[in-house]
Each structure stands twice: as C-alpha cells, then as structure tokens.
Amino acid sequence: MLILLGSGITLCVILLLSSVDFWMSYQAQGRIHKEVESAPARDIALILGTSKYIGRTLNPYYTYRIDAAIELYKQQKVRGFLLSGDNAHRSYNEPWTMKRDLLRAGIPEELIFLDYAGFRTLDSIVRAKQIFNLNDFTIVTQTFHCDRALFIANYYKADAICLGVPSPKPRSWFNVRVREVFARIKAMLDVYIMNTQPKFLGPQEPILDMLPKYEYGPIMPRFVPKPVAESE
C-alpha cells in the first residue's frame, strides 16, 4: 500500500513538473529569436549577466551572450544596452566585466548602462521595467533560459522578446534541464504565490531619455552626431 502511495505521489510530482515546463515554453512561443537577423529592432538590449570565467576557463555561456550583443549593435537592432548582473564584491562584477568587453568591441560608452543589482533573473527583468522604465526590450540569454525570462517579463507587463543564444554542450544535459525545470517552478511561486520582489529597487533611472540622438554609421559605427545648425 505504501509503495502504491509513494508511486502515485511521484507520478503526480512528475506530471506537475512536466506541465509547468511545457506551459512556460508554450507561453514564450513567437517571442524567441535564435538569429539576430530575425529579431525585431528594439531600443535597448538587456544582457543577463553570468561569470566570464569558470575557474581559469572562459565561460561559453558568457561568450555567446556578449557576441550576440555585439552583433545586435552591428546590425542596428538596438540603440543601447542594459547590462544586468551580480556585483558581489570588488573582484566580481558582472556588469562592469560585460561593459569592458563591449567597449573593446567599439561600442560607445554613452550607449551602455549598468544594473549592479541583477542578482537573479527576476531582479534583472523587474528592475528593467520598474527602475529603468523599459517597456519593450530585447533580452539576451541562452535559449532555454528565454522561456523563464519572458514569463517574468509578461507577468510584469513588459513587451519583451528574447534573443536565444546557443548553449555549450554540457557533460550532462539532463542535469541542466532538471535545474531549469525547478527554476521554472520557483519562478511561478515567486510571482503567483510569494510576490517576490527584487532585492533592491530604488529611484527610477529612465535610460531611454539618456540615449544620445545619434545617427547610425556603417557596420560598426561610433555614432556621429548630427551637426547643429547655426542660428541666423
């Protein structure tokens, strides 16, 4: 009897996890783009942070995101960037690390904005909406992560799309998927049950108002401002 009861509970849990996983993927349909060329133009790309290195090895999750951000700029799909990530201590600063790499790629500093309080996906999305006054923006992260990010954005009525970048082939894809399924359950609990808020909010910083009014140049421009007409 106990064996049957345990089996029934296990089956119910598996069905629940599978249902949430499927639904979260379903609700993101039509809003995930896997190629820069197919992504609609938006003013701001929100780059979700991750560590640049794992030990002494370059983290491919990070590299794919930064390369995609640079390509968005090259193809004139965005006007600026919000780099959101963890700033745990002086030697670990995800937003500043991303900024450094974008600057090296030739992206002007005045087009780059930093969010040092993007500790979780929820924090990054909610702060983009409530602190940086963004309503429609492009999220840049791994494709499997897009579903959860868009779910949070949709709940907070942000008209976001996601540029889904590739994932490295892990030693155990099953472990990655299991972690993501539980992260999706946590996201649902956060927004529907626990009303979880970002760790930090603070005063608003409407970054769209801070973007310079420049013209795009060829391929990798540094934005040349329009000449100011002399008063007669």
Side-chain angles (χ1 to χ4, degrees):
M1 184 66 182
L2 289 176
I3 294 176
L4 288 175
L5 180 60
S7 299
I9 293 174
T10 301
L11 180 60
C12 289
V13 170
I14 292 173
L15 287 173
L16 174 63
L17 294 175
S18 301
S19 298
V20 170
D21 186 48
F22 173 80
W23 178 81
M24 201 162 285
S25 296
Y26 179 78
Q27 58 84 37
Q29 285 186 347
R31 294 185 290 153
I32 299 176
H33 302 267
K34 296 183 181 180
E35 301 292 337
V36 173
E37 291 81 1
S38 68
R42 296 287 171 100
D43 286 323
I44 297 291
L46 169 63
I47 316 300
L48 299 182
T50 186
S51 58
K52 183 173 181 177
Y53 294 96
I54 301 175
R56 296 184 178 181
T57 305
L58 192 62
N59 181 4
Y61 286 92
Y62 175 92
T63 304
Y64 282 128
R65 296 181 195 186
I66 290 299
D67 289 348
I70 295 168
E71 195 60 31
L72 281 170
Y73 178 75
K74 284 183 178 181
Q75 297 194 28
Q76 301 181 13
K77 295 288 186 172
V78 295
R79 295 173 55 212
F81 298 92
L82 176 60
L83 311 179
S84 181
D86 194 353
N87 177 30
H89 45 76
R90 292 180 64 182
S91 62
Y92 185 80
N93 190 324
E94 291 175 355
W96 179 250
T97 300
M98 291 189 283
K99 178 180 179 178
R100 235 174 11 207
D101 285 336
L102 292 185
L103 290 174
R104 288 191 186 114
I107 296 175
E109 187 170 13
E110 61 267 26
L111 304 181
I112 301 172
F113 304 92
L114 306 182
D115 177 13
Y116 294 108
F119 302 110
R120 300 172 48 200
T121 304
L122 182 142
D123 294 59
S124 297
I125 301 295
V126 176
R127 285 176 55 81
K129 171 75 173 181
Q130 297 184 0
I131 301 300
F132 297 98
N133 282 14
L134 298 177
N135 183 54
D136 53 343
F137 51 92
T138 298
I139 302 166
V140 178
T141 188
Q142 268 62 40
T143 302
F144 73 84
H145 188 196
C146 283
D147 296 337
R148 178 158 47 98
L150 289 171
F151 162 72
I152 297 170
N154 187 58
Y155 180 82
Y156 282 92
K157 296 179 170 54
D159 180 21
I161 58 174
C162 191
L163 177 59
V165 303
S167 302
K169 293 181 180 179
R171 293 180 180 177
S172 176
W173 176 247
F174 177 77
N175 290 341
V176 174
R177 284 296 296 131
V178 168
R179 284 198 299 269
E180 178 59 23
V181 169
F182 280 100
R184 294 179 179 194
I185 293 286
K186 180 66 165 59
M188 290 193 70
L189 292 174
D190 280 338
V191 300
Y192 288 139
I193 306 298
M194 302 170 65
N195 191 30
T196 302
Q197 296 299 308
K199 187 173 182 180
F200 297 110
L201 284 172
Q204 291 190 337
E205 300 177 40
I207 60 177
L208 287 179
D209 296 340
M210 304 177 194
L211 281 175
K213 309 298 183 184
Y214 291 162
E215 286 184 338
Y216 283 97
I219 304 179
M220 177 50 81
R222 265 203 169 274
F223 285 98
V224 179
K226 294 179 181 179
V228 179
E230 296 182 359
S231 56
E232 297 180 359

